[in-house]
């Protein structure tokens, strides 16, 4: 059988593949990126399911509009106003099947084969995968501790007029956990405003901040070609698959709607009505606070264990929120080799390789802390530390 180049050139998700082995009950897994299930508001959802059916009857089970459930779109527009002072109307919001779908729709709307995307290096592997289906040219720009390298971004945009969009995750980035600084956001805005490109700010983790000040978006509210992506996955539940696109660019929104129609007609209306009922009848802020407190405790447990058990040559990020810590090993140590050894000791993480579009055998890796208790986190990091000391000692003997 012959398949399309598109599918043959799209990597299958490394994480989804390794989760099959790392999910065994005796493995301590820092590999997934899943929200902690104890954070799901199951009882409240149960009430909302009953309530939404009582209120809307057959509408929950019928086809619906491509743009999404109007009250939910109004709620999202209003929330952007309250949280960020951004002037969105309901028509600026498109509900998608998770923000993951928005990535795919965007690349279909914007890219011809071989056209360019600026990607953070390292970047979200689900975005690399979604964009790969459009057969783009990836232009990597280094992600520093405070965000994209603005000079390199400028140079990349100046030298490549095939670039259609820039993809960023400005808050509690996946995979690194870093947050763009206020200064970096300004610097990037100053660069991007000179070019005819779309700036995508993908923000599924933004509400999960436990320290530091909340920062304005880079382009939203001031760049004509700004697109924000949001999601209910990390603050309510991922299984309902509800994400959204927000843009004031009417033409872009029109095309997004057309692709959405062609893809799946509309997002699951059952989920949309239930989540809307949940949002208006519960205190979302206090629910999100519980998640934040949980993740802060887990992140601190991991950071403390890293300080105690890892060799001092190992570097790592210090997230102010979100779900991930990014680790950089000594030069020359392969994260893939480390992963094999770690699996022998029944500890899993994601080696850095799949987060790059142009590098392999890297010395970086992603740790997720949201799915283990502080005790288990300490035990897992202790085992990893032991392996790292052994690798280091071996290296010195060679
Ligand atoms: C940066 C980023 N964007 C998008 C997604 C997809 O989220 P959703 O569940 O809304 O599709 C994820 C999920 O982990 C993510 O980390």
């Amino acid at each position: 059988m012959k398949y399309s180049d598109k599918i043959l050139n799209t990597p299958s998700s490394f994480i989804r593949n390794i989760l099959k082995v790392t999910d065994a009950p005796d493995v301590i897994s820092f590999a997934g990126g899943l929200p902690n299930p104890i954070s799901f508001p199951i009882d409240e959802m149960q009430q909302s399911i009953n309530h939404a059916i009582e209120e809307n009857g057959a509408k929950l089970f019928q086809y619906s509009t491509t743009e999404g459930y109007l009250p939910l779109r109004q709620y999202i527009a209003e929330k952007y106003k309250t949280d960020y002072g951004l002037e969105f109307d309901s028509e600026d919001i498109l509900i998608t099947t998770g923000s993951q779908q928005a990535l795919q729709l965007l690349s279909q709307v914007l890219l011809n084969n071989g056209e360019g995307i600026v990607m953070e290096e390292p970047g979200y592997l689900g975005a690399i995968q979604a964009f790969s289906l459009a057969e783009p040219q990836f232009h990597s720009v280094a992600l520093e501790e405070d965000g994209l390298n603005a000079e390199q971004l400028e140079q990349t945009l100046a030298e490549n007029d095939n670039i259609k969009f820039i993809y960023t995750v400005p808050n509690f980035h996946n995979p690194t956990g870093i947050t763009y600084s206020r200064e970096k956001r300004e610097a990037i805005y100053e660069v991007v405003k000179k070019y005819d490109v779309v700036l995508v700010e993908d923000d599924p983790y933004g509400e999960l901040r436990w320290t530091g000040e909340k920062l304005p978006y880079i382009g939203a509210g001031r760049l004509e070609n700004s697109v924000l992506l949001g999601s209910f996955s990390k603050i309510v539940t991922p299984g309902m698959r509800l994400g959204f696109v927000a843009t004031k660019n009417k033409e872009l929104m029109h095309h997004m709607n057309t692709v959405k129609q062609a893809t799946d007609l509309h997002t699951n209306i059952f989920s949309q009505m239930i989540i809307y009922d949940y949002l208006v009848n519960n205190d979302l802020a206090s629910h999100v606070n519980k998640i934040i407190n949980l993740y802060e405790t887990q992140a601190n447990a991991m950071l403390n264990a890293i300080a105690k058990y890892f060799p001092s040559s190992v570097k790592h990020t210090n997230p102010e929120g979100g779900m991930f810590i990014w680790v950089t090993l000594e030069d020359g140590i392969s994260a893939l080799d480390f992963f094999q050894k770690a699996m022998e000791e029944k500890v899993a993480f994601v080696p850095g390789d799949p987060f790059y579009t142009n590098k392999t055998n890297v010395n970086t890796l992603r740790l997720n802390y949201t799915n283990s208790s502080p005790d288990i986190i300490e035990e897992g990091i202790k085992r990893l530390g032991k392996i790292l000391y052994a690798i280091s000692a071996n290296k010195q003997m060679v």
Side-chain angles (χ1 to χ4, degrees), residues 44-102:
E44 293 83 351
M45 280 292 172
Q46 175 96 59
Q47 282 172 14
S48 283
I49 291 171
N50 292 336
H51 193 226
I53 294 177
E54 279 161 25
E55 293 251 304
N56 301 289
K59 289 194 186 126
L60 262 87
F61 304 94
Q62 186 54 283
Y63 283 116
S64 186
T65 54
T66 299
E67 294 81 358
Y69 183 45
L70 184 60
L72 182 61
R73 292 160 66 215
Q74 282 162 341
Y75 174 95
I76 293 164
E78 201 52 48
K79 191 161 176 3
Y80 274 125
K81 195 173 290 173
T82 319
D83 293 357
Y84 288 95
L86 291 170
E87 295 293 330
F88 285 118
D89 298 316
S90 55
E91 73 230 38
D92 305 322
I93 311 293
L94 167 70
I95 310 288
T96 53
T97 303
S99 47
Q100 186 66 28
Q101 184 183 48

Side-chain angles (χ1 to χ4, degrees), residues 98-100 103 124 167 169 174 202 204-205 231 233-234 241:
S99 47
Q100 186 66 28
L103 300 173
Y124 170 48
Y167 174 74
V169 182
N174 182 1
D202 182 11
Y205 306 103
S231 174
S233 290
K234 307 302 189 308
R241 307 306 301 124

Side-chain angles (χ1 to χ4, degrees), residues 195-267:
Y195 295 87
D196 181 19
V197 288
V198 173
L199 178 69
V200 181
E201 298 179 74
D202 182 11
D203 191 25
Y205 306 103
E207 294 197 43
L208 303 179
R209 177 186 281 284
W210 53 79
T211 184
E213 55 162 353
K214 181 165 131 193
L215 294 170
Y217 286 111
I218 304 167
R222 54 183 182 168
L223 279 181
E224 194 191 336
N225 296 337
S226 148
V227 174
L228 290 183
L229 305 184
S231 174
F232 291 108
S233 290
K234 307 302 189 308
I235 54 169
V236 187
T237 121
M240 297 186 92
R241 307 306 301 124
L242 290 174
F244 44 94
V245 179
T247 181
K248 300 289 296 177
N249 188 317
K250 305 266 179 245
E251 196 177 51
L252 176 60
M253 190 50 106
H254 169 75
H255 292 311
M256 290 290 283
N257 264 296
T258 309
V259 178
K260 173 76 182 161
Q261 271 168 17
T263 306
D264 61 357
L265 304 181
H266 64 80
T267 298

